[in-house]
């Protein structure tokens, strides 16, 4: 940054040059920390002007800055009112010009637009894990750019700058090129760069104009030297590339076309100083592999009925043995809302900061555990070593044992320097969490609206609750104690993973439980009268209702999303990558009324509704008919048969002949559920309660428009509108109008709004930590989503049975884009083996179309079938191939004796699903199974993907399969242009 007290009065004219394609009506502004370019106020930044150079659109502009200045800056795309439309998502540019540059000189700065994917190798997954040795190089003493004694009237000084995030230890970087100054393409005669730290290499090169070849472009109209102003006399300074020379003498030259540097001899304003900020060293795109398993599903010889944080060391060891660079988990935050098995749902957080006591290793609480407690641990281990997780019994046993150890060592632990440091760093969330847990247990409910005077959180009330003078202070400290040990154990595992060059990937749930610490402390951040879910999709034709309150984004924006930023910072203490659950929620969320039980009758928030005026202009006017349940007597007879009069008497009123409406006490889904319990005895004799409930839900959902509860003149079309008989019974004009408006609402009119919304919210997450981010982008995907993800450097997800292409039944891994994670299955669907066995006709279609066989497929997913499918994925161009552990175990007959249906982790159609899958194989035995790890490692190595014992540069064998080459082709063709190409 600039030291204002030492600024020279001399000025230097900076001339910016940025090749970047924009759309009509878009402009480019450069803005940064220096006052001359706006002091980070985009409206005061330097507006650049466009010009065409051949097929390139180049933005340029000039500004005077003090000599010797150093500052950071970025480029922004703005509209005519200078409102920001998008901005560079990679790291900021930085420039420092020598104070020795003469007053009034021009320094031409050649930049490249930085995308989010440019910054992926700067994220902790690579910087601190996979490429950590590269980043630990010692910077050399690097002189300022453009030393005054280097330049003369007949010379040009080129300042080369390149980022090499992946370079082998002891290697050096050179610029080689067509001119004598750059060695005429000979590495040993080229320009050697110096390491400047943070992966950047730089050097100055003085080029005498008298020694350079003159080109007359108009004589060579198709030559690569041609410029847009080709009738000027030009000098081709050089074509060049960067290369790396290893300590063993091996040379790696960057891929892609030659880089070019020109100077215009005919122009008197030709700058003598040119700064070439050339982005990232261009290599074959980096590709890696990993495996996924929920923490609770891990089985080891030391655990107590469930996977524990210290077991992650064994997962890391198996990853290394198998050649993997990544281990992916489900969320690990505390979910103990109900204190029963419902809490096994890992996406319903009690606290987004606290870790789950379920994953505590009680044996590691103390080095001095008494023998009687050791015996209790041994007995619990034997008792809990079941086929599946017993959530309630495991939690009870661990907390009981932990309380006994706490009572013995609380004084020494709570006064230790390590605990005091942990407490000081985390007290902002730790105190409310401990107080919440105490009140939850005291009132026997997490519903804080039932806590009387404690229902409304305040800091004064909190300090009284956690006061050392309180009679329950030991209970408060016990929760501190548990979180302290969880932190220590997960930190130990995370440090181990980094040392072994394995990325730990966490999971960021989209919601929090409505009865959580976060909704208690920050009620203004949530819309508590709503519920979050997903519209009908692959998983459930009636949609999903997750029960979380939706976010009050307007309120969150007031402090620049501080809650989100704190949440991500906390996560980054343990993880170097993370998966954003339901990333569509940051574009728009499927919002349901709090009284809904299913996910069908919802609306997107934010979205542009259909106004009453808009509908009236189209000839739509009977809004009660369209927005209230349409119930005719013949419908009741068809649904309930002879039972219909009884159902009608309990739930409905006849407001006119043969037309019915729901009674006040059962006019919502939750009210129906409650009413059914009251008259269950009477109705269940004739039909099951669940069947009656679903039929009543069908009647309640038989609407065309949803009236906005906050503005009765605004409406939203019901999802799958043409499936409602209320719609089918309309006249043709109304049906045509409403169908057109339906399509517009769901697929057209929201795109710009949702794009703007994502570009406001997602950068706050991405910039709050240096973790690598992946987004779960399955389901109904708006067209704006993937371009925004590409722009922000977010890696998408591809599951073969859920292709994003509407015309495909199965995804084609060889055609996946580079910026993706590919997998044959995930935790939200059946495993590869179970899927294979579920549907014979589908299995035959897959066997023929995806595997190329015309005979009948085996009824079981044999190891050969599993190997084929896994190889399809690992050879794809996707940046990451991440496989559920169950799918990898299918490679060996020995591990397929367990019924495939028992390996499913979640059933999304069941909101009360018990998340209790536990691997039937210990991690210790998997590490010992050299045959299985050898098979997996051979797949990884053969695919050209980087693996954990590869050399540091991770060079890809040119004879490897086509996946790496396909990824490189995508980068070259612009599908990942200027992306992570290393």
């Amino acid at each position: 940054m600039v030291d204002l007290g030492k600024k020279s009065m001399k000025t230097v004219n900076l001339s910016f040059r940025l090749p970047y394609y924009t759309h009509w009506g878009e402009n480019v502004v450069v803005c940064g920390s220096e006052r001359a370019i706006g002091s980070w106020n985009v409206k005061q930044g330097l507006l650049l002007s466009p010009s065409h150079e051949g097929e390139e659109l180049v933005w340029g502009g000039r500004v005077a800055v003090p000599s010797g200045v150093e500052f950071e800056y970025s480029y922004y795309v703005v509209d005519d009112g200078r409102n920001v439309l998008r901005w560079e998502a990679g790291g900021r540019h930085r420039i420092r010009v020598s104070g020795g540059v003469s007053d009034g000189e021009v320094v031409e700065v050649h930049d490249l637009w930085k995308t989010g994917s440019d910054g992926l190798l700067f994220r902790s997954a690579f910087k601190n894990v996979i490429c950590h040795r590269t980043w630990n190089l010692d910077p050399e003493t690097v002189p300022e750019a453009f030393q005054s004694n280097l330049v003369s009237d007949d010379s040009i000084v080129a300042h080369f700058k390149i980022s090499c995030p992946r370079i082998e230890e002891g290697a050096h970087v050179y610029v080689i090129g067509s001119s004598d100054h750059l060695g005429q393409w000979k590495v040993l005669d080229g320009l050697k760069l110096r390491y400047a730290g943070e992966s950047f290499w730089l050097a100055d090169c003085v080029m005498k104009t008298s020694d350079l070849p003159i080109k007359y472009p108009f004589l060579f109209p198709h030559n690569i030297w041609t410029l847009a102003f080709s009738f000027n006399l030009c000098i081709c300074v050089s074509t060049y590339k960067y290369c790396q020379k290893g300590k063993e003498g091996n040379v790696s030259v960057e891929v892609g076309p030659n880089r070019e540097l020109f100077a215009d001899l005919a122009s008197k304003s030709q700058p003598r100083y040119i700064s070439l900020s050339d982005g990232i060293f261009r290599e074959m795109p980096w590709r890696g592999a990993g495996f996924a398993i929920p923490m609770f599903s891990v089985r080891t010889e030391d655990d107590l009925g469930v996977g524990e944080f210290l077991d992650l060391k064994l997962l890391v060891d198996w990853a290394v043995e198998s050649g993997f660079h990544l281990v992916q988990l489900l969320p690990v935050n505390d979910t103990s809302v109900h204190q029963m098995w419902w809490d096994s749902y890992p996406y319903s957080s009690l606290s987004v900061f606290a870790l789950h006591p379920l994953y505590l290793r009680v044996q590691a609480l103390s080095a001095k555990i008494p023998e009687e407690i050791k015996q209790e641990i041994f007995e619990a281990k034997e008792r809990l070593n079941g086929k599946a997780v017993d959530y309630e019994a495991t939690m009870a046993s661990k907390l009981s044992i932990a309380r006994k150890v706490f009572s013995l060592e609380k004084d020494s632990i709570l006064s230790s320097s390590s605990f005091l440091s942990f407490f000081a760093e985390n007290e902002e969330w730790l105190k409310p969490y401990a107080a919440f847990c105490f009140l939850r247990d005291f009132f026997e409910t997490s519903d804080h609206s039932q806590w009387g005077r404690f229902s409304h959180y305040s800091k004064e009330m909190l300090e009284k609750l956690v006061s050392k003078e309180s009679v329950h202070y030991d209970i408060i400290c016990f929760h501190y104690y548990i979180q302290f040990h969880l932190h220590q154990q997960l930190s130990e595992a995370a440090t181990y993973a980094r040392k072994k060059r394995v990325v730990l990937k966490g999971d960021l749930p989209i919601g929090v439980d409505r009865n959580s610490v976060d909704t208690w402390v920050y009620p203004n951040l949530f819309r508590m009268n709503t519920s979050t879910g997903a519209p009908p999709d692959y998983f459930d034709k009636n949609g999903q209702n997750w029960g979380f309150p939706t976010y009050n984004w307007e309120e969150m924006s007031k402090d620049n999303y501080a809650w989100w930023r704190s949440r991500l910072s906390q996560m980054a203490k343990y993880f170097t990558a993370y998966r954003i659950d339901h990333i569509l929620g940051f574009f728009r969320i499927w919002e349901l009324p709090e009284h809904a039980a299913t996910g069908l009758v919802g609306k997107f928030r934010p979205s542009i509704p259909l106004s009453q005026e808009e509908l009236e202009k189209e000839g739509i006017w009977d809004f009660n008919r369209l927005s209230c349940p349409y119930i005719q007597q013949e419908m009741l007879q068809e649904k309930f048969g002879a039972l219909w009069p009884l159902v009608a008497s309990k739930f409905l009123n006849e407001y006119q002949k043969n037309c019915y409406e729901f009674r006040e006490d059962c006019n919502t889904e939750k009210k129906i559920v409650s009413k059914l319990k009251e008259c269950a005895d009477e109705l269940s004799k004739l039909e099951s309660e669940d069947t009656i409930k679903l039929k009543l839900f069908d009647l309640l959902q038989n609407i065309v428009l949803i009236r906005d509860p906050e503005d009765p003149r605004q409406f939203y079309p019901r999802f799958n509108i043409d499936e409602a008989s209320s719609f089918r019974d309309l006249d043709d004009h109304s049906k045509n109008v409403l169908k057109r408006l339906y399509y517009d609402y769901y697929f057209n009119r929201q795109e710009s709004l949702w794009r703007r919304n994502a570009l406001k919210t997602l950068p706050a997450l991405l910039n709050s930590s240096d973790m690598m981010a992946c987004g779960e982008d399955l389901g109904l995907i708006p067209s704006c989503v993937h371009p925004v993800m590409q722009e922000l450097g977010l890696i998408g997800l591809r599951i073969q049975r859920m292709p994003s292409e509407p015309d495909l039944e199965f995804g084609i891994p060889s055609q996946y884009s580079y910026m993706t994670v590919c997998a044959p299955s995930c935790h939200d669907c059946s495993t590869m083996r179970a899927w294979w066995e579920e549907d014979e006709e589908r299995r035959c279609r897959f066997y023929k179309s995806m595997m190329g066989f015309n005979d009948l497929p085996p009824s079981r997913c044999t190891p050969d079938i599993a190997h084929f499918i896994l190889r399809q994925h690992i050879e794809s161009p996707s940046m990451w191939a991440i496989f559920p552990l169950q799918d990898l175990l299918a490679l060996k007959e020995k591990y397929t004796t367990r019924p495939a249906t028992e390996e499913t982790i979640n059933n999304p159609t069941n909101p009360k699903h018990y998340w209790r899958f536990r691997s039937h194989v210990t991690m210790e035995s998997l590490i010992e199974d050299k045959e299985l790890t050898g098979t997996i490692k051979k797949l990884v190595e053969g695919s050209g993907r980087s693996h954990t014992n590869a050399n540091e540069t991770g060079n890809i064998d040119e004879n490897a399969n086509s996946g790496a080459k396909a990824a490189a082709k995508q980068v070259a063709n612009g599908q990942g242009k200027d992306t992570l190409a290393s």
Side-chain angles (χ1 to χ4, degrees), residues 447-466:
D447 183 356
H448 38 83
S449 68
Q450 306 298 312
W451 290 353
R453 64 190 179 92
F454 299 107
S455 294
H456 300 289
Y457 172 87
S458 71
K459 288 191 175 180
E460 294 76 17
M461 175 260 287
L462 174 67
E463 291 306 321
K464 289 180 181 178
L465 279 170
V466 301

Side-chain angles (χ1 to χ4, degrees), residues 715-930:
F715 298 88
Y716 306 87
R718 197 206 89 158
F719 199 88
N720 288 343
I721 193 173
D722 51 0
E723 293 182 6
S725 62
S726 177
F727 174 82
R728 294 195 297 270
D729 283 358
L730 293 172
D731 61 273
D732 288 343
H733 169 75
S734 297
K735 283 195 283 191
N736 290 336
V737 168
L738 289 166
K739 191 67 175 177
R740 172 167 48 82
L741 293 174
Y742 169 91
Y743 189 87
D744 181 59
Y745 175 84
Y746 281 100
F747 302 106
N748 288 328
R749 71 196 285 163
Q750 321 294 347
E751 294 292 329
S752 295
L753 173 65
W754 291 343
R755 174 185 168 83
R756 291 196 303 271
N757 198 53
L759 289 175
K760 282 193 295 186
T761 57
L762 282 172
L765 271 74
L766 302 177
N767 296 333
S768 60
S769 79
D770 63 353
M771 293 184 288
M772 179 182 71
C774 304
E776 183 268 294
D777 53 349
L778 303 176
L780 183 68
I781 308 296
S783 60
C784 63
V785 170
H786 289 147
V788 168
M789 290 181 68
Q790 177 76 19
E791 192 170 321
L792 296 180
L794 279 160
I795 304 166
L797 177 62
R798 298 294 176 268
I799 304 295
Q800 188 170 27
R801 70 188 72 172
M802 291 177 267
S804 53
E805 302 85 356
D807 56 332
L808 292 180
E809 182 179 14
F810 312 114
I812 305 173
S814 63
Q815 296 179 9
Y816 290 162
S817 62
Y818 174 63
M819 289 291 290
T820 57
V821 172
C822 72
S825 67
C826 66
H827 68 270
D828 274 329
C829 59
S830 55
T831 62
M832 182 174 65
R833 279 205 305 137
W835 179 84
W836 183 268
E837 297 171 9
E838 283 168 359
D839 186 323
E840 181 181 0
E841 291 183 359
R842 182 183 62 194
R843 178 170 69 237
C844 291
R845 292 193 300 272
F846 183 90
Y847 195 62
K848 181 177 182 179
S849 64
M850 303 305 296
M851 300 182 67
F853 297 106
N854 289 317
D855 55 334
L856 288 176
S859 59
R860 291 177 56 253
C861 182
T862 63
D864 286 343
I865 296 290
H867 190 278
F868 185 97
I869 295 173
L870 295 180
R871 185 163 60 85
Q872 267 192 333
H873 286 77
I874 208 162
E875 291 182 352
S876 75
S878 297
M879 182 183 179
W880 286 98
I882 302 176
F883 304 102
L885 179 64
Q886 304 96 300
D887 290 352
L888 293 168
L889 295 182
L891 286 169
K892 193 168 182 179
E893 192 73 38
K894 172 183 177 181
Y895 301 120
T896 63
T897 55
R898 183 177 188 171
T901 53
E902 293 182 2
E903 294 185 331
T904 299
I905 294 169
N906 178 37
N907 175 10
T909 65
N910 179 11
K912 295 299 182 184
H913 175 74
Y914 194 169
W915 296 62
R916 62 186 316 199
F917 164 72
R918 195 172 181 215
S919 174
H920 60 297
V921 189
T922 66
M923 292 309 302
E924 291 89 347
S925 63
L926 286 179
I927 292 170
E928 291 298 315
D929 190 338
K930 302 303 179 186

Side-chain angles (χ1 to χ4, degrees), residues 375-572:
Q375 180 62 29
E376 185 178 349
I377 293 172
F378 174 78
E379 291 173 358
K381 184 176 182 300
E382 293 293 307
R383 185 175 66 254
L384 297 170
N385 188 27
K387 187 175 186 179
V389 175
D390 186 334
Y391 182 91
E392 293 174 56
T394 302
M395 279 289 286
S397 294
K398 289 197 173 193
L399 291 176
S400 173
I401 293 166
R403 284 191 181 94
K404 293 174 183 177
V405 179
F406 171 71
S407 67
L408 297 173
E409 63 171 28
K410 61 183 178 182
D411 293 336
S412 60
I413 290 293
L414 298 179
S415 61
S416 67
S417 59
S418 55
F419 174 82
L420 293 173
S421 175
F422 165 77
F423 185 83
E425 186 178 340
N426 297 279
E427 64 177 313
E428 186 175 348
W429 66 264
L430 189 58
K431 283 181 175 180
Y433 168 76
F436 186 97
C437 290
F438 165 72
L439 292 170
R440 173 200 62 194
D441 298 343
F442 181 83
F443 287 103
E444 297 183 335
T445 178
S446 292
D447 183 356
H448 38 83
S449 68
Q450 306 298 312
W451 290 353
R453 64 190 179 92
F454 299 107
S455 294
H456 300 289
Y457 172 87
S458 71
K459 288 191 175 180
E460 294 76 17
M461 175 260 287
L462 174 67
E463 291 306 321
K464 289 180 181 178
L465 279 170
V466 301
S467 168
K468 292 182 179 180
E469 284 69 45
S470 66
V471 294
H472 55 264
Y473 185 62
D474 268 8
I475 300 174
I476 296 292
C477 286
F478 176 68
H479 296 295
Y480 295 162
Y481 171 84
I482 293 294
Q483 288 301 313
F484 168 64
H485 278 288
L486 287 165
H487 163 74
Q488 284 197 317
Q489 293 179 13
L490 183 52
S491 296
E492 182 180 331
T495 299
Y496 185 82
R498 290 187 183 99
K499 287 181 180 178
K500 293 283 190 175
R501 297 179 63 210
V502 173
V503 172
L504 277 191
K505 183 180 177 185
D507 198 322
L508 183 76
I510 185 63
V512 301
D513 197 285
R514 64 178 59 253
N515 297 319
S516 66
V517 182
D518 300 279
T519 58
W520 181 52
V521 177
Y522 307 107
N524 58 316
L525 301 184
F526 304 91
R527 290 170 51 82
M528 297 299 291
N529 63 338
T530 67
S531 185
T532 306
D537 59 10
Y538 173 91
F539 298 114
D540 194 332
K541 66 181 181 65
N542 288 317
Q544 298 174 54
N545 186 337
W546 303 322
F548 314 134
T550 57
Y551 294 119
N552 185 344
W553 289 110
E554 295 80 6
E555 191 67 28
M556 287 179 162
S557 67
K558 291 178 180 177
D559 59 5
N560 192 26
Y561 310 98
W563 180 78
W564 281 104
R565 289 186 286 111
S566 297
R567 187 178 176 184
L568 268 293
S569 297
Q570 182 74 7
M571 226 180 144

Side-chain angles (χ1 to χ4, degrees), residues 616 619-628 705 707 715 730 734:
E616 287 174 343
I620 305 297
W621 56 270
D622 194 349
F623 299 106
N624 283 335
R625 156 72 174 82
L626 297 171
S627 61
C628 295
L705 298 176
R707 193 186 293 266
F715 298 88
L730 293 172
S734 297

Side-chain angles (χ1 to χ4, degrees), residues 8-15 36 62-69 71 95 97-109 146 273:
S8 167
M9 296 304 292
K10 294 190 301 181
T11 61
V12 172
N13 292 307
L14 286 185
S15 177
R62 183 174 293 190
V63 66
V65 299
S67 181
V69 73
F71 62 92
I95 189 167
V97 181
S98 168
V101 174
S102 302
D103 187 27
E105 284 277 9
V106 176
V107 175
E108 190 168 272
V109 181
F146 309 129
Y273 301 92

Side-chain angles (χ1 to χ4, degrees), residues 156-172:
I156 293 171
V157 182
H159 178 67
F160 293 93
K161 182 178 181 181
I162 189 72
S163 173
C164 299
R166 299 178 64 243
I167 184 171
E168 67 177 279
E169 197 171 1
H172 290 280

